[in-house]
Amino acid sequence: MNINNYSTIFNLLLLFLTLVPSILAVGSPINIWPKPRSFVWTTPQAIPFSPSFVITSPPHPYLTPAVNRYLSQIQTANYNPLLAPAINFTTSLPLQTLTIIISDLKATLSHGVNESYTLTIPSKSTSATLTAATPWGAMRGLESFSQLVWGSPARVAAGLVISDWPIFEHRGILLDTSRNYYGVEDLLRLIGGMSANKLNVFHWHITDSHSFPLVLKSEPALAGNGSYGSDMQYSTEDVKRIVQFGLEHGVRVIPEIDMPGKFSILSLCARFPAIRNSRSIDVINGSFSYRSAGHTGSWADAYPEIVACANMFWMPAGASWEDRLAAEPGTGHLNPLIPKTYDVVKNVFTELTTLFPDTFFHGGADEVVPGCWKADPTIQKYLANNGTLSQVLEIFINSTYPYILSLNRTAVYWEDVILDGEIKVNPSILPPETTIMQTWNGGPNNTKRLVSAGYRTIVSSADYYYLDCGHGDFTGNNSIYDQPPGTEQGKGGSWCGPFKTWQLIYNYDITYGLTEAEAKLVLGGEVALWSEQADATVLDSRIWPRSSAMAEVLWSGNRDEAGMKRSGEATDRLNEWINRMVKRGVKAEPIQPLWCIRNPGMCNNAMTA
């Protein structure tokens, strides 16, 4: 046999070994969420779990707390599945030890870090092994291991090998803490749930037009005047605790201080046709202005001289939609033509880099509303001298973008900065090598526009990934709801309605319509919860289990070995995962009646042969 034949046989063997784990994973009687990439379990069985079980691992400032956390969780969970797994239980020796082996113990938690792991649980041994490239991969493996233990007395799945790694490196949740405040414990619970779902980025949209809750030592007046109150602020100690908690759970914390304008990502009215006509908005006693720390008093109450159109009524009486001052109530844009603006902004930027170690820095830059800048005398004069609003924005970007880079950060901007139809910068001033774009509008089309221009892109398409959609409009005195019976409800007043179901999220492919080269520029995705109509009382149910749906898709995909969408098969697994999350203290909402769970297949949409 010549060397070419040996090569052919070797390649066929490699192909077989690649396919076998996926084939053997089909129909597993026990679930791990998100579904692993490779799960070899030829003879499903379970062995006793020792009451004196221990986990051994090399010492590490963040992995060690994770090991202790999982050990305590596993030993005390006594988790009872909704349906008992159909697994042979053997009376062999109990599992005594899980040994963790790390290849690169010094790897830092940053974008692109290796999160792969291999978990081996023999059926005739008292010791299991978890090997991982990095401590962060070991955390993912620990989570999978924890989901293989159930019952009281506890037992553990055995005779299996899991090899696992994510498809996308960026898998996140955005939470807006400006419009409504969330306590530190709420944020920690969110991060804990993210880690359990193998999500790795908490995009913290800290400030917006409504409040500035972050206390900065260099600019104390911003939170002092711009927060909702001293009991609704995040101190330096709070931030350190949140970042530390994230590191111990393998979750990066990326801050966003949205600027230069009143950048409401949720312009609930902006895209709802029925209220673009000013006659459909009832304004009592004409236009008026008001002051509130919850609007761009977030900046303006501390520095009124650097904020255009601050604290004015967002929709002046008799004005057309094009003449609005903000995309939603709460006005104010930073004025790029005032030198003092940059003194404040650079202080904010510098301190943020001391609080947040992550190399990604989100600079906002979405939805600049022309009417606000046009209302400012300084900008009016600039425009009168043949300047444009796009040039005003370019002045701001040119003055702040290099400073972000000088702080050894990669700048992330919302897509509007180059894709907006009216106010945008020339892409040449935001090189793709040092800039990441985040898309929220236009679905796959805008993703295509960004990656075809060479930008690495994070997908947060409102059509699929906005968790606040479908709850109506929050503006008061709104005649959109004063309609005769029988009127078509449309999106129910929510510009991005209807409600985004877990199935819609699960079936979305964020690289749809892209070439192979373009798809490589998609870093991953983030679901987003904007907080006009959300706070801590609904946090868990708005986030979970819909974020779990995205978590699995970004980790291992949404298709089976034959290339078919697996959302139907995922339903039963997601039910079980919701139950486990609830037992862990996360108040995830149900997706089916309990009857469906106890009668597998009876709630499917169609009878199958």
Side-chain angles (χ1 to χ4, degrees):
M1 185 179 291
N2 62 40
I3 191 168
N4 291 330
N5 289 333
Y6 280 118
S7 177
T8 300
I9 293 173
F10 180 72
N11 288 333
L12 288 173
L13 179 60
L14 282 179
L15 177 63
F16 175 76
L17 291 174
T18 301
L19 292 176
V20 165
S22 297
I23 295 171
L24 294 176
V26 176
S28 293
I30 194 168
N31 303 310
I32 293 176
W33 194 280
K35 194 168 189 175
R37 303 287 292 278
S38 171
F39 195 152
V40 181
W41 202 11
T42 53
T43 307
Q45 57 187 294
I47 61 176
F49 188 81
S50 174
S52 57
F53 175 81
V54 295
I55 300 175
T56 62
S57 70
H60 185 271
Y62 307 121
L63 179 59
T64 299
V67 167
N68 294 335
R69 181 178 69 253
Y70 275 108
L71 181 59
S72 175
Q73 181 187 90
I74 293 167
Q75 289 175 331
T76 60
N78 296 320
Y79 177 72
N80 290 312
L82 293 170
L83 286 177
I87 301 175
N88 292 327
F89 180 63
T90 67
T91 56
S92 61
L93 293 174
L95 186 67
Q96 298 274 5
T97 306
L98 173 65
T99 301
I100 299 177
I101 303 170
I102 308 291
S103 301
D104 181 6
L105 202 60
K106 295 182 180 180
T108 58
L109 182 61
S110 58
H111 178 74
V113 70
N114 192 324
E115 296 175 271
S116 65
Y117 70 91
T118 298
L119 175 63
T120 304
I121 308 178
S123 57
K124 297 181 180 179
S125 174
T126 60
S127 180
T129 304
L130 171 61
T131 61
T134 67
W136 323 107
M139 291 184 191
R140 309 301 175 224
L142 282 168
E143 176 57 41
S144 293
F145 179 81
S146 74
Q147 295 182 37
L148 294 172
V149 181
W150 77 96
S152 181
R155 57 193 64 185
V156 59
L160 58 82
V161 178
I162 297 173
S163 295
D164 208 6
W165 65 99
I167 296 174
F168 292 98
E169 296 172 334
H170 189 108
R171 309 177 306 280
I173 292 177
L174 178 153
L175 181 66
D176 159 30
T177 62
S178 170
R179 292 174 175 89
N180 276 313
Y181 175 81
Y182 298 79
V184 172
E185 294 299 327
D186 301 311
L187 302 186
L188 299 184
R189 189 173 69 256
L190 173 62
I191 291 172
M194 292 177 63
S195 180
N197 283 271
K198 296 187 175 72
L199 295 170
N200 64 354
V201 175
F202 173 38
H203 177 168
W204 188 1
H205 185 93
I206 308 174
T207 72
D208 208 289
S209 63
H210 301 81
S211 75
F212 197 110
L214 180 63
V215 177
L216 297 174
K217 294 179 180 178
S218 60
E219 295 290 348
L222 288 174
N225 296 346
S227 69
Y228 286 132
S230 60
D231 59 337
M232 288 184 275
Q233 297 176 348
Y234 302 106
S235 67
T236 298
E237 291 69 28
D238 292 334
V239 173
K240 289 180 179 178
R241 184 182 174 196
I242 291 166
V243 170
Q244 175 76 12
F245 193 85
L247 289 167
E248 293 176 359
H249 286 74
V251 176
R252 300 159 55 205
V253 182
I254 297 176
E256 179 185 358
I257 305 294
D258 212 349
M259 58 182 71
K262 187 284 172 199
F263 297 118
S264 157
I265 311 303
L266 274 197
S267 37
L268 294 176
C269 308
R271 296 165 189 80
F272 199 78
I275 59 175
R276 286 179 182 161
N277 187 326
S278 62
R279 290 174 298 174
S280 67
I281 300 176
D282 301 322
V283 181
I284 299 175
N285 297 325
S287 63
F288 63 95
S289 64
Y290 54 92
R291 294 193 61 75
S292 165
H295 295 79
T296 311
S298 114
W299 291 72
D301 284 353
Y303 296 105
E305 68 274 21
I306 71 172
V307 182
C309 86
N311 299 305
M312 298 173 67
F313 191 75
W314 72 292
M315 179 63 73
S320 66
W321 178 252
E322 288 71 25
D323 294 326
R324 70 198 184 281
L325 298 183
E328 69 179 31
T331 59
H333 287 17
L334 292 181
N335 190 334
L337 304 183
I338 305 297
K340 175 72 173 178
T341 299
Y342 303 104
D343 295 335
V344 179
V345 167
K346 289 180 179 180
N347 284 341
V348 171
F349 282 4
T350 302
E351 188 162 348
L352 281 177
T353 59
T354 67
L355 293 174
F356 297 92
D358 199 86
T359 56
F360 281 17
F361 187 98
H362 208 300
D366 60 306
E367 290 194 329
V368 179
V369 177
C372 181
W373 271 347
K374 288 180 180 179
D376 182 83
T378 306
I379 297 177
Q380 287 174 2
K381 183 177 180 180
Y382 181 84
L383 298 177
N385 290 322
N386 298 319
T388 68
L389 293 179
S390 288
Q391 289 172 338
V392 174
L393 180 59
E394 284 199 358
I395 290 170
F396 183 82
I397 297 297
N398 274 324
S399 299
T400 56
Y401 176 73
Y403 192 71
I404 294 174
L405 301 186
S406 75
L407 296 170
N408 297 316
R409 296 296 187 267
T410 298
V412 185
Y413 291 108
W414 291 104
E415 62 180 23
D416 309 46
V417 72
I418 61 169
L419 296 186
D420 187 81
E422 186 170 355
I423 304 177
K424 57 189 173 185
V425 304
N426 190 314
S428 64
I429 71 173
L430 293 173
E433 296 78 17
T434 50
T435 310
I436 294 170
M437 291 294 172
Q438 186 161 3
T439 177
W440 66 278
N441 219 342
N445 291 334
N446 278 13
T447 303
K448 179 83 170 180
R449 293 173 68 187
L450 293 172
V451 297
S452 63
Y455 287 105
R456 291 166 291 167
T457 301
I458 299 165
V459 176
S460 293
S461 173
D463 292 340
Y464 300 90
Y465 279 179
Y466 271 27
L467 303 181
D468 51 289
C469 298
H471 288 85
D473 178 39
F474 73 94
T475 57
N477 203 28
N478 190 339
S479 60
I480 185 75
Y481 296 107
D482 185 14
Q483 304 290 342
T487 302
E488 175 60 42
Q489 297 298 309
K491 296 180 179 180
S494 171
W495 73 269
C496 59
F499 180 88
K500 311 308 176 190
T501 66
W502 79 265
Q503 297 99 324
L504 181 76
I505 294 171
Y506 193 90
N507 283 293
Y508 184 47
D509 291 324
I510 62 174
T511 59
Y512 177 82
L514 304 182
T515 66
E516 183 177 350
E518 290 170 341
K520 290 180 180 179
L521 291 174
V522 176
L523 302 184
E526 292 178 3
V527 290
L529 180 59
W530 303 100
S531 296
E532 283 88 345
Q533 296 169 292
D535 61 14
T537 62
V538 298
L539 176 62
D540 288 16
S541 59
R542 293 280 172 90
I543 295 287
W544 312 112
R546 292 185 292 164
S547 298
S548 300
M550 184 196 70
E552 177 158 297
V553 175
L554 298 188
W555 182 273
S556 58
N558 58 10
R559 296 178 182 273
D560 61 20
E561 292 72 21
M564 301 295 291
K565 289 286 184 69
R566 65 185 186 201
S567 54
E569 173 268 342
T571 304
D572 292 338
R573 294 190 296 106
L574 185 54
N575 275 322
E576 192 66 63
W577 177 233
I578 291 169
N579 186 54
R580 191 181 282 268
M581 281 197 292
V582 170
K583 291 299 193 312
R584 292 182 179 183
V586 175
K587 296 181 180 178
E589 68 178 11
I591 61 171
Q592 284 186 323
L594 183 58
W595 185 89
C596 297
I597 301 167
R598 291 181 174 175
N599 294 270
M602 292 295 285
C603 290
N604 288 347
N605 192 46
M607 180 68 72
T608 57

